[in-house]
Amino acid sequence: MIYNKKTVRDVSFQGAATLVRCDFNVPMKDGVITDESRILGALPTIRYLMDQGAKVILCSHLGKAKGPDPSLSLESVAQRLTHHLGRPVLFAKDDCVVGEEAKKGAASLKPGEVMLPENTRFRPEESKNDPLFSKELASLATIYVNDAFGSAHRAHASTEGVTHFLSPCVAGFLIEKELQFLGDAVNHPKRPFVAILGGAKVSDKIKVIDALLEKVDTLIIGGGMAYTFLKAQGYDIGQSLLEEDRLEYAKDMMEKARQRGVALLLPIDHVVGDGFREEAHASVTEGASIGEGLMGMDIGPATIASYRKAIEGAKTVIWNGPMGVFEFPAFEKGTKEVAQAMAQCDAVTIIGGGDSAAAVHQFHLAEKMTHISTGGGASLEFLEGVSLPGIAALDDKEEQAQ
Ligand code: ADP
Ligand code: MG
């Protein structure tokens, strides 16, 4: 999927009411925001639009609301935005999102001022991409900016529906950056191109394994999904995660790798536990087989060495999915060392996937990566090569004159 989309740089905003879809889906505990990264990430686009004289109407979903829910109100986000922007952000407290407050607020905005209506999922029509709700949202503005990469894989009213009623529709800086880094890595990779896939389940990553096998030079597999591949090769895997119904698929993928000349690396040893527990007794296996009653919880030292070597020789590395149960300290080493190898190598390094990004932050290696995607599900779908509706709906850049 190659996108060539207009961005906020291509549009004049002076005096224009502009609807900006942000990703304010922040983690909350007891009404308090526990991590502000997403709010901070949205600031460059918001500040730019304020400076350009737009009347800025932000919008976002928060959590899994299925209707009005005070615990998922965006009011605290509006307060944090006010703090960071140093200017009051008008919060329109309508449970119906586009109510009297929002309409009055939008009409009263002066260039450079900012407003935020309620959580778009307070309206069940949001997730149904209902055209009437899309039209209501769109009625607040004339121009549309999408900067919510993490929601771009969903065709919802605020991500896709509104684009049918607003013009122009362009990408903000966050989406621009995602398209640049993910797009370049997948479509014009510097080689050798290495992909590292892990995480719990093969079934979550079926399409991405298939798609990446057509692009990469080396595919590294670790984490819970590796055991289905090892089982398909005839190894004993003890109590490790297994998806019986994916054994044939694993065989097909190994055959596809062989035919395409892609090096497919699987674990050659493991750190096993005597159960899926933080305090499980950890030991290292001699080879790729796992004894009865034991469970593969992390890749072993010989595997780490082999994966490190592949990463060291790479020019592009994409990583999605931890190598083991990194949440338990006894089983974090494989994930940590792969992250370190990426941090140390001189390749373009890209992290997609929510848990992989969390692991990189946990190991304080975020600064060392070229790009950490802000969208877990969206980045996975991007790597699968499927069209992201929230991005496909934005205006294409005009062809450059030859
Ligand atoms: P991402 O969010 O980066 O795409 P996933 O959601 O696919 O990653 O997978 C992350 C989860 O996989 C983590 O919670 C981790 O504990 C789990 N996992 C990794 N290795 C194993 C394993 N060997 N057995 C069980 N779970 C595992
Ligand atoms: Mg995950």
Coordinates of all heavy atoms in Angstrom, one line a residue, residues 218-309:
T218 N 15.2 -11.6 5.7 CA 15.3 -12.5 6.8 C 14.0 -12.3 7.6 O 13.7 -11.2 7.9 CB 16.5 -12.3 7.7 OG1 17.7 -12.4 6.9 CG2 16.6 -13.2 8.9
L219 N 13.4 -13.4 8.0 CA 12.2 -13.3 8.9 C 12.6 -14.1 10.2 O 12.9 -15.3 10.2 CB 11.0 -13.9 8.3 CG 9.7 -13.8 9.2 CD1 9.3 -12.4 9.5 CD2 8.5 -14.6 8.5
I220 N 12.6 -13.3 11.3 CA 12.9 -13.9 12.6 C 11.6 -14.1 13.4 O 10.8 -13.2 13.4 CB 13.8 -12.9 13.4 CG1 15.2 -12.8 12.8 CG2 13.9 -13.4 14.9 CD1 16.1 -11.8 13.5
I221 N 11.4 -15.3 13.9 CA 10.2 -15.6 14.6 C 10.5 -16.0 16.1 O 11.4 -16.8 16.3 CB 9.3 -16.7 13.9 CG1 8.8 -16.1 12.6 CG2 8.2 -17.2 14.8 CD1 7.8 -17.0 11.9
G222 N 9.9 -15.4 17.0 CA 10.1 -15.7 18.4 C 8.7 -15.6 19.1 O 7.7 -15.5 18.5
G223 N 8.8 -15.6 20.5 CA 7.6 -15.5 21.2 C 6.7 -16.7 21.2 O 7.1 -17.8 20.7
G224 N 5.5 -16.6 21.7 CA 4.6 -17.7 21.7 C 4.3 -18.3 20.4 O 4.0 -19.5 20.3
M225 N 4.3 -17.5 19.3 CA 3.9 -18.0 18.0 C 5.0 -19.0 17.5 O 4.7 -19.8 16.6 CB 3.7 -16.9 17.0 CG 4.9 -16.1 16.7 SD 4.8 -15.3 15.1 CE 3.7 -14.0 15.5
A226 N 6.2 -19.0 18.0 CA 7.3 -19.8 17.5 C 7.0 -21.3 17.7 O 7.4 -22.1 16.9 CB 8.6 -19.4 18.1
Y227 N 6.3 -21.6 18.7 CA 6.1 -23.1 19.1 C 5.2 -23.8 18.1 O 5.4 -25.0 17.8 CB 5.6 -23.2 20.5 CG 6.5 -22.5 21.4 CD1 6.1 -21.2 22.0 CD2 7.8 -22.9 21.7 CE1 7.0 -20.5 22.8 CE2 8.7 -22.2 22.5 CZ 8.3 -21.0 23.0 OH 9.2 -20.3 23.7
T228 N 4.3 -23.1 17.5 CA 3.5 -23.7 16.4 C 4.4 -24.1 15.2 O 4.2 -25.2 14.6 CB 2.3 -22.8 16.0 OG1 1.5 -22.6 17.2 CG2 1.4 -23.4 15.0
F229 N 5.3 -23.2 14.9 CA 6.2 -23.5 13.8 C 7.2 -24.7 14.2 O 7.4 -25.5 13.4 CB 7.1 -22.2 13.5 CG 6.4 -21.2 12.7 CD1 5.5 -20.3 13.4 CD2 6.5 -21.2 11.4 CE1 4.8 -19.3 12.6 CE2 5.8 -20.2 10.6 CZ 5.0 -19.3 11.3
L230 N 7.7 -24.7 15.4 CA 8.6 -25.8 15.8 C 7.8 -27.1 15.8 O 8.3 -28.1 15.4 CB 9.2 -25.5 17.2 CG 10.2 -24.3 17.2 CD1 10.6 -24.0 18.6 CD2 11.4 -24.6 16.4
K231 N 6.6 -27.1 16.3 CA 5.8 -28.3 16.3 C 5.6 -28.8 14.9 O 5.7 -30.0 14.6 CB 4.4 -28.0 17.0 CG 3.4 -29.1 17.0 CD 3.7 -30.1 18.2 CE 2.7 -31.2 18.2 NZ 3.0 -32.2 19.2
A232 N 5.3 -27.9 14.0 CA 5.1 -28.2 12.6 C 6.4 -28.9 12.0 O 6.3 -29.7 11.1 CB 4.7 -27.0 11.8
Q233 N 7.6 -28.6 12.6 CA 8.8 -29.2 12.2 C 9.1 -30.5 12.9 O 10.1 -31.1 12.6 CB 10.0 -28.2 12.4 CG 10.0 -27.1 11.5 CD 11.3 -26.3 11.7 OE1 11.9 -26.2 12.8 NE2 11.8 -25.6 10.6
G234 N 8.2 -30.9 13.8 CA 8.3 -32.2 14.5 C 8.9 -32.1 15.8 O 9.2 -33.2 16.5
Y235 N 9.2 -30.9 16.4 CA 9.8 -30.8 17.7 C 8.8 -31.0 18.8 O 7.6 -30.7 18.6 CB 10.5 -29.5 17.9 CG 11.8 -29.3 17.1 CD1 11.7 -28.5 16.0 CD2 13.0 -29.9 17.5 CE1 12.9 -28.3 15.2 CE2 14.1 -29.7 16.8 CZ 14.1 -28.9 15.6 OH 15.2 -28.8 14.9
D236 N 9.2 -31.5 20.0 CA 8.4 -31.6 21.1 C 8.3 -30.2 21.7 O 9.4 -29.5 21.8 CB 8.9 -32.5 22.2 CG 8.9 -34.0 21.7 OD1 7.9 -34.3 21.0 OD2 9.8 -34.8 22.0
I237 N 7.2 -29.7 22.1 CA 7.1 -28.3 22.6 C 6.5 -28.3 24.0 O 6.1 -27.2 24.5 CB 6.3 -27.4 21.7 CG1 4.9 -27.9 21.4 CG2 7.1 -27.2 20.4 CD1 4.0 -26.8 20.8
G238 N 6.3 -29.5 24.7 CA 5.8 -29.5 26.0 C 4.4 -28.8 26.1 O 3.5 -29.0 25.3
Q239 N 4.4 -27.9 27.1 CA 3.1 -27.2 27.4 C 3.1 -25.9 26.7 O 2.2 -25.0 27.0 CB 3.0 -27.0 28.9 CG 2.7 -28.2 29.7 CD 1.5 -29.0 29.3 OE1 1.5 -30.0 28.7 NE2 0.3 -28.4 29.6
S240 N 4.0 -25.6 25.8 CA 4.1 -24.3 25.2 C 2.8 -23.9 24.4 O 2.1 -24.9 24.0 CB 5.3 -24.2 24.3 OG 6.4 -24.6 24.9
L241 N 2.6 -22.7 24.2 CA 1.5 -22.2 23.4 C 1.5 -23.0 22.0 O 2.5 -23.1 21.4 CB 1.6 -20.7 23.0 CG 1.1 -19.7 24.0 CD1 1.2 -18.3 23.4 CD2 -0.4 -20.0 24.4
L242 N 0.3 -23.5 21.6 CA 0.2 -24.2 20.4 C -1.1 -23.8 19.7 O -2.2 -23.9 20.4 CB 0.3 -25.7 20.6 CG 0.0 -26.6 19.3 CD1 1.0 -26.3 18.2 CD2 -0.1 -28.0 19.7
E243 N -1.1 -23.5 18.5 CA -2.4 -23.4 17.7 C -2.4 -24.5 16.7 O -1.9 -24.4 15.6 CB -2.5 -22.0 17.1 CG -2.7 -20.9 18.1 CD -2.6 -19.5 17.5 OE1 -1.5 -18.9 17.4 OE2 -3.6 -19.0 17.0
E244 N -3.1 -25.6 17.2 CA -3.2 -26.8 16.3 C -3.7 -26.5 14.9 O -3.2 -27.0 13.9 CB -4.2 -27.8 17.0 CG -3.7 -28.4 18.2 CD -3.1 -29.8 17.9 OE1 -2.9 -30.2 16.8 OE2 -2.9 -30.5 18.9
D245 N -4.7 -25.6 14.9 CA -5.3 -25.3 13.6 C -4.5 -24.4 12.7 O -4.9 -24.0 11.6 CB -6.7 -24.7 13.8 CG -6.7 -23.5 14.7 OD1 -5.7 -23.3 15.4 OD2 -7.6 -22.7 14.6
R246 N -3.3 -24.1 13.2 CA -2.4 -23.2 12.3 C -1.1 -24.0 11.9 O -0.2 -23.4 11.3 CB -1.9 -22.0 13.1 CG -3.1 -21.1 13.6 CD -3.9 -20.6 12.4 NE -5.0 -19.8 12.9 CZ -6.1 -19.5 12.3 NH1 -6.2 -19.9 11.0 NH2 -7.1 -18.8 12.8
L247 N -1.1 -25.3 12.2 CA 0.1 -26.1 11.9 C 0.4 -26.1 10.4 O 1.5 -25.9 9.9 CB 0.0 -27.5 12.4 CG 0.2 -27.7 13.9 CD1 -0.2 -29.0 14.4 CD2 1.7 -27.4 14.3
E248 N -0.7 -26.3 9.6 CA -0.6 -26.3 8.1 C -0.1 -25.0 7.6 O 0.7 -24.9 6.7 CB -1.9 -26.7 7.5 CG -2.2 -28.2 7.5 CD -1.1 -29.0 6.9 OE1 -0.6 -28.7 5.8 OE2 -0.7 -30.0 7.6
Y249 N -0.7 -24.0 8.2 CA -0.3 -22.6 7.8 C 1.2 -22.4 8.0 O 2.0 -21.9 7.2 CB -1.1 -21.6 8.5 CG -0.6 -20.2 8.3 CD1 -1.0 -19.4 7.2 CD2 0.2 -19.5 9.3 CE1 -0.5 -18.1 7.0 CE2 0.7 -18.2 9.1 CZ 0.3 -17.6 7.9 OH 0.8 -16.3 7.7
A250 N 1.7 -22.9 9.2 CA 3.1 -22.7 9.6 C 4.0 -23.4 8.5 O 5.0 -22.9 8.0 CB 3.4 -23.2 11.0
K251 N 3.5 -24.6 8.1 CA 4.3 -25.4 7.1 C 4.3 -24.6 5.8 O 5.3 -24.5 5.1 CB 3.6 -26.8 6.9 CG 3.9 -27.8 8.0 CD 3.3 -29.1 7.7 CE 3.4 -30.0 9.0 NZ 2.4 -31.1 9.0
D252 N 3.1 -24.1 5.4 CA 3.0 -23.3 4.2 C 4.0 -22.2 4.2 O 4.7 -21.8 3.2 CB 1.6 -22.8 4.0 CG 0.6 -23.9 3.6 OD1 1.1 -25.0 3.4 OD2 -0.6 -23.6 3.7
M253 N 4.1 -21.5 5.3 CA 4.9 -20.3 5.4 C 6.4 -20.7 5.3 O 7.2 -20.0 4.7 CB 4.7 -19.5 6.7 CG 3.3 -18.8 6.7 SD 3.1 -17.6 5.3 CE 1.9 -18.5 4.3
M254 N 6.8 -21.8 6.0 CA 8.2 -22.3 5.9 C 8.5 -22.6 4.4 O 9.6 -22.3 4.0 CB 8.4 -23.4 6.9 CG 8.3 -22.9 8.3 SD 8.8 -24.1 9.6 CE 7.3 -25.1 9.7
E255 N 7.5 -23.2 3.7 CA 7.8 -23.6 2.3 C 7.9 -22.3 1.5 O 8.7 -22.2 0.6 CB 6.6 -24.5 1.8 CG 6.6 -24.8 0.4 CD 7.9 -25.5 -0.1 OE1 8.7 -26.1 0.8 OE2 8.2 -25.5 -1.3
K256 N 7.0 -21.3 1.8 CA 7.1 -20.0 1.0 C 8.4 -19.4 1.2 O 9.0 -18.8 0.3 CB 5.9 -19.1 1.5 CG 5.9 -17.8 0.8 CD 4.6 -17.0 1.1 CE 4.5 -15.7 0.4 NZ 3.3 -15.0 0.6
A257 N 8.9 -19.4 2.5 CA 10.2 -18.8 2.7 C 11.3 -19.5 1.9 O 12.2 -18.8 1.3 CB 10.5 -18.9 4.2
R258 N 11.2 -20.8 1.9 CA 12.2 -21.6 1.1 C 12.2 -21.2 -0.3 O 13.2 -20.9 -0.9 CB 12.0 -23.1 1.3 CG 13.2 -24.0 1.1 CD 12.8 -25.5 1.1 NE 11.8 -25.8 0.2 CZ 12.0 -25.9 -1.2 NH1 13.2 -25.8 -1.6 NH2 11.0 -26.2 -2.0
Q259 N 11.0 -21.2 -0.9 CA 10.9 -20.9 -2.3 C 11.4 -19.5 -2.7 O 11.9 -19.2 -3.7 CB 9.4 -21.0 -2.7 CG 9.0 -22.4 -3.0 CD 7.5 -22.6 -3.3 OE1 6.8 -21.6 -3.5 NE2 7.0 -23.8 -3.3
R260 N 11.1 -18.5 -1.7 CA 11.5 -17.1 -2.0 C 12.9 -16.8 -1.6 O 13.4 -15.7 -1.7 CB 10.6 -16.2 -1.3 CG 9.1 -16.3 -1.8 CD 8.3 -15.2 -1.3 NE 8.6 -14.0 -2.0 CZ 8.0 -13.5 -3.1 NH1 6.9 -14.2 -3.6 NH2 8.3 -12.4 -3.7
G261 N 13.6 -17.8 -1.0 CA 15.0 -17.5 -0.6 C 15.1 -16.6 0.6 O 16.1 -16.0 0.9
V262 N 14.0 -16.6 1.4 CA 14.0 -15.8 2.7 C 14.5 -16.7 3.8 O 14.1 -17.8 4.0 CB 12.6 -15.3 3.0 CG1 12.6 -14.7 4.4 CG2 12.1 -14.4 2.0
A263 N 15.5 -16.2 4.6 CA 16.0 -16.9 5.7 C 15.0 -16.8 6.8 O 14.7 -15.7 7.3 CB 17.3 -16.4 6.2
L264 N 14.4 -17.9 7.2 CA 13.4 -17.9 8.3 C 14.1 -18.5 9.5 O 14.4 -19.7 9.6 CB 12.2 -18.7 7.9 CG 11.0 -18.7 8.9 CD1 9.8 -18.1 8.2 CD2 10.7 -20.0 9.5
L265 N 14.2 -17.7 10.5 CA 14.9 -18.1 11.8 C 14.0 -18.4 12.9 O 13.1 -17.6 13.2 CB 15.9 -17.0 12.2 CG 16.9 -16.5 11.2 CD1 17.9 -15.5 11.9 CD2 17.7 -17.6 10.6
L266 N 14.1 -19.6 13.4 CA 13.3 -20.0 14.5 C 14.2 -20.3 15.7 O 15.4 -20.5 15.6 CB 12.5 -21.3 14.2 CG 11.4 -21.2 13.2 CD1 11.0 -22.5 12.6 CD2 10.2 -20.4 13.8
P267 N 13.6 -20.3 17.0 CA 14.4 -20.5 18.1 C 15.1 -21.9 18.1 O 14.5 -22.9 17.6 CB 13.4 -20.5 19.3 CG 12.2 -19.7 18.8 CD 12.2 -20.0 17.3
I268 N 16.4 -21.9 18.5 CA 17.1 -23.2 18.6 C 17.3 -23.6 20.0 O 17.8 -24.7 20.3 CB 18.5 -23.0 17.8 CG1 19.3 -21.8 18.3 CG2 18.3 -23.0 16.3 CD1 20.6 -21.6 17.6
D269 N 17.0 -22.7 21.0 CA 16.9 -23.1 22.4 C 15.9 -22.2 23.1 O 15.5 -21.2 22.5 CB 18.3 -23.1 23.0 CG 19.0 -21.8 23.1 OD1 18.4 -20.8 22.4 OD2 20.0 -21.6 23.7
H270 N 15.6 -22.5 24.3 CA 14.5 -21.7 25.0 C 14.8 -21.5 26.5 O 15.6 -22.4 27.1 CB 13.2 -22.4 24.9 CG 12.9 -23.0 23.6 ND1 12.3 -22.3 22.6 CD2 13.1 -24.3 23.1 CE1 12.2 -23.1 21.5 NE2 12.6 -24.3 21.8
V271 N 14.2 -20.5 27.0 CA 14.1 -20.5 28.5 C 12.7 -21.0 28.8 O 11.7 -20.4 28.3 CB 14.3 -19.0 29.0 CG1 14.2 -19.0 30.6 CG2 15.6 -18.5 28.6
V272 N 12.6 -22.1 29.6 CA 11.3 -22.7 29.8 C 11.0 -22.4 31.3 O 11.8 -22.2 32.2 CB 11.3 -24.2 29.5 CG1 11.5 -24.4 28.0 CG2 12.4 -24.9 30.3
G273 N 9.7 -22.5 31.6 CA 9.2 -22.4 33.0 C 8.3 -23.6 33.3 O 7.9 -24.3 32.4
D274 N 8.1 -23.9 34.6 CA 7.3 -25.0 34.9 C 5.8 -24.5 35.1 O 5.1 -25.1 35.9 CB 7.8 -25.7 36.2 CG 8.0 -24.8 37.3 OD1 7.7 -23.6 37.2 OD2 8.4 -25.2 38.4
G275 N 5.4 -23.5 34.4 CA 4.1 -23.0 34.4 C 4.1 -21.6 34.0 O 5.1 -21.0 33.9
F276 N 2.9 -21.0 33.6 CA 2.8 -19.7 33.2 C 2.6 -18.8 34.4 O 1.5 -18.4 34.8 CB 1.7 -19.5 32.2 CG 1.7 -18.1 31.5 CD1 2.5 -17.9 30.4 CD2 0.9 -17.1 32.1 CE1 2.5 -16.6 29.8 CE2 1.0 -15.8 31.5 CZ 1.7 -15.6 30.4
R277 N 3.7 -18.5 35.2 CA 3.7 -17.8 36.4 C 4.9 -16.9 36.5 O 6.0 -17.3 36.0 CB 3.7 -18.7 37.6 CG 2.4 -19.4 37.9 CD 2.6 -20.4 39.0 NE 3.5 -21.6 38.6 CZ 4.6 -22.0 39.1 NH1 5.1 -21.3 40.2 NH2 5.3 -23.0 38.7
E278 N 4.8 -15.8 37.1 CA 6.0 -14.9 37.3 C 7.1 -15.6 38.1 O 8.2 -15.5 37.8 CB 5.5 -13.6 38.0 CG 6.7 -12.7 38.3 CD 6.3 -11.2 38.3 OE1 5.1 -10.9 38.3 OE2 7.2 -10.4 38.4
E279 N 6.7 -16.4 39.1 CA 7.6 -17.1 39.9 C 8.0 -18.5 39.4 O 8.6 -19.2 40.1 CB 7.1 -17.2 41.4 CG 6.6 -15.9 42.0 CD 7.7 -14.8 41.9 OE1 8.9 -15.2 42.0 OE2 7.4 -13.6 41.8
A280 N 7.6 -18.8 38.2 CA 7.9 -20.1 37.6 C 9.4 -20.4 37.7 O 10.2 -19.4 37.5 CB 7.4 -20.2 36.2
H281 N 9.8 -21.6 37.9 CA 11.2 -22.0 37.9 C 11.7 -21.9 36.5 O 11.1 -22.6 35.6 CB 11.4 -23.4 38.5 CG 12.8 -23.9 38.4 ND1 13.8 -23.4 39.2 CD2 13.4 -24.8 37.6 CE1 14.9 -24.0 38.8 NE2 14.7 -24.8 37.9
A282 N 12.7 -21.2 36.2 CA 13.2 -21.0 34.8 C 14.5 -21.8 34.6 O 15.4 -21.9 35.4 CB 13.6 -19.5 34.6
S283 N 14.5 -22.5 33.4 CA 15.7 -23.2 33.0 C 15.9 -23.1 31.5 O 15.0 -22.7 30.8 CB 15.7 -24.7 33.5 OG 14.5 -25.3 32.9
V284 N 17.1 -23.4 31.1 CA 17.5 -23.3 29.6 C 17.5 -24.6 29.0 O 18.1 -25.6 29.6 CB 18.8 -22.5 29.5 CG1 19.2 -22.5 28.0 CG2 18.8 -21.1 30.0
T285 N 16.9 -24.8 27.8 CA 16.9 -26.1 27.2 C 18.2 -26.3 26.4 O 18.9 -25.4 26.1 CB 15.8 -26.2 26.1 OG1 15.9 -25.2 25.1 CG2 14.4 -26.1 26.8
E286 N 18.5 -27.6 26.1 CA 19.8 -27.9 25.4 C 19.6 -27.6 23.9 O 20.5 -27.1 23.3 CB 20.0 -29.4 25.5 CG 20.8 -29.8 26.8 CD 22.2 -29.3 26.7 OE1 22.8 -29.3 25.6 OE2 22.8 -28.9 27.8
G287 N 18.5 -27.9 23.4 CA 18.2 -27.6 21.9 C 16.8 -27.1 21.7 O 16.3 -26.4 22.6
A288 N 16.3 -27.4 20.6 CA 15.0 -26.8 20.3 C 13.8 -27.5 20.9 O 12.7 -27.0 20.9 CB 14.8 -26.7 18.7
S289 N 14.0 -28.7 21.4 CA 12.9 -29.5 22.0 C 12.6 -29.1 23.4 O 13.5 -28.7 24.1 CB 13.2 -31.0 22.0 OG 13.2 -31.5 20.7
I290 N 11.4 -29.2 23.8 CA 11.0 -28.8 25.2 C 10.3 -30.0 25.8 O 9.5 -30.7 25.2 CB 10.0 -27.6 25.1 CG1 10.7 -26.4 24.5 CG2 9.4 -27.3 26.5 CD1 9.8 -25.2 24.4
G291 N 10.8 -30.3 27.1 CA 10.4 -31.5 27.8 C 8.9 -31.4 28.2 O 8.3 -30.3 28.3
E292 N 8.4 -32.6 28.6 CA 7.0 -32.7 29.0 C 6.8 -31.8 30.3 O 7.6 -31.7 31.1 CB 6.7 -34.1 29.4 CG 5.4 -34.7 28.8 CD 5.3 -36.2 29.0 OE1 6.0 -36.9 28.3 OE2 4.6 -36.5 29.9
G293 N 5.6 -31.1 30.3 CA 5.3 -30.4 31.5 C 5.9 -29.0 31.5 O 5.6 -28.2 32.4
L294 N 6.9 -28.7 30.6 CA 7.5 -27.4 30.6 C 6.9 -26.5 29.5 O 6.4 -27.0 28.5 CB 9.0 -27.6 30.4 CG 9.7 -28.3 31.6 CD1 11.2 -28.6 31.2 CD2 9.6 -27.5 32.9
M295 N 7.1 -25.2 29.7 CA 6.5 -24.3 28.8 C 7.6 -23.3 28.3 O 8.3 -22.7 29.1 CB 5.5 -23.5 29.6 CG 4.6 -22.7 28.8 SD 3.3 -22.0 29.9 CE 2.1 -21.5 28.7
G296 N 7.6 -23.1 27.0 CA 8.6 -22.1 26.4 C 8.1 -20.7 26.8 O 7.0 -20.3 26.4
M297 N 9.0 -20.0 27.5 CA 8.6 -18.6 28.0 C 9.4 -17.5 27.4 O 9.1 -16.3 27.4 CB 8.7 -18.6 29.5 CG 7.8 -19.5 30.2 SD 6.1 -19.0 30.3 CE 6.2 -17.9 31.8
D298 N 10.6 -17.9 26.8 CA 11.5 -16.9 26.2 C 12.5 -17.7 25.3 O 12.6 -18.9 25.4 CB 12.3 -16.2 27.3 CG 13.0 -14.9 26.8 OD1 12.7 -14.5 25.7 OD2 13.8 -14.3 27.6
I299 N 13.1 -16.9 24.4 CA 14.1 -17.5 23.5 C 15.4 -17.7 24.4 O 15.7 -17.0 25.3 CB 14.4 -16.7 22.3 CG1 14.8 -15.2 22.6 CG2 13.2 -16.7 21.3 CD1 15.2 -14.4 21.4
G300 N 16.2 -18.7 24.1 CA 17.4 -19.1 24.9 C 18.6 -18.3 24.4 O 18.6 -17.6 23.4
P301 N 19.8 -18.5 25.0 CA 21.0 -17.8 24.7 C 21.5 -18.0 23.3 O 22.0 -17.1 22.7 CB 22.0 -18.3 25.8 CG 21.4 -19.4 26.5 CD 19.9 -19.4 26.3
A302 N 21.5 -19.3 22.8 CA 22.0 -19.5 21.5 C 21.1 -18.8 20.4 O 21.6 -18.3 19.4 CB 22.0 -21.0 21.2
T303 N 19.8 -18.8 20.7 CA 18.9 -18.1 19.8 C 19.1 -16.6 19.8 O 19.2 -16.0 18.7 CB 17.4 -18.4 20.2 OG1 17.2 -19.8 20.4 CG2 16.4 -17.9 19.2
I304 N 19.3 -16.1 21.0 CA 19.6 -14.7 21.1 C 20.9 -14.3 20.3 O 20.8 -13.4 19.5 CB 19.9 -14.2 22.6 CG1 18.6 -14.3 23.4 CG2 20.5 -12.8 22.7 CD1 18.7 -14.0 24.9
A305 N 21.9 -15.2 20.4 CA 23.1 -14.9 19.6 C 22.8 -14.9 18.1 O 23.3 -14.0 17.4 CB 24.2 -15.9 20.0
S306 N 22.0 -15.9 17.7 CA 21.8 -16.0 16.2 C 20.9 -14.8 15.8 O 21.1 -14.2 14.7 CB 21.2 -17.3 15.9 OG 19.8 -17.2 15.4
Y307 N 19.9 -14.4 16.6 CA 19.1 -13.3 16.2 C 19.9 -11.9 16.2 O 19.7 -11.1 15.3 CB 17.8 -13.1 17.1 CG 16.8 -14.3 16.9 CD1 17.1 -15.3 16.1 CD2 15.6 -14.3 17.6 CE1 16.1 -16.4 15.9 CE2 14.7 -15.3 17.5 CZ 14.9 -16.3 16.6 OH 14.0 -17.4 16.5
R308 N 20.8 -11.8 17.2 CA 21.6 -10.6 17.3 C 22.4 -10.5 16.0 O 22.6 -9.4 15.4 CB 22.6 -10.7 18.4 CG 22.1 -10.1 19.7 CD 23.2 -10.0 20.7 NE 22.8 -9.2 21.9 CZ 22.9 -7.8 21.9 NH1 23.4 -7.2 20.9 NH2 22.5 -7.2 23.0
K309 N 23.0 -11.6 15.5 CA 23.8 -11.6 14.3 C 23.0 -11.1 13.1 O 23.5 -10.3 12.3 CB 24.4 -13.0 14.1 CG 25.6 -13.0 13.3 CD 26.4 -14.3 13.4 CE 27.3 -14.4 12.2 NZ 27.1 -15.7 11.6

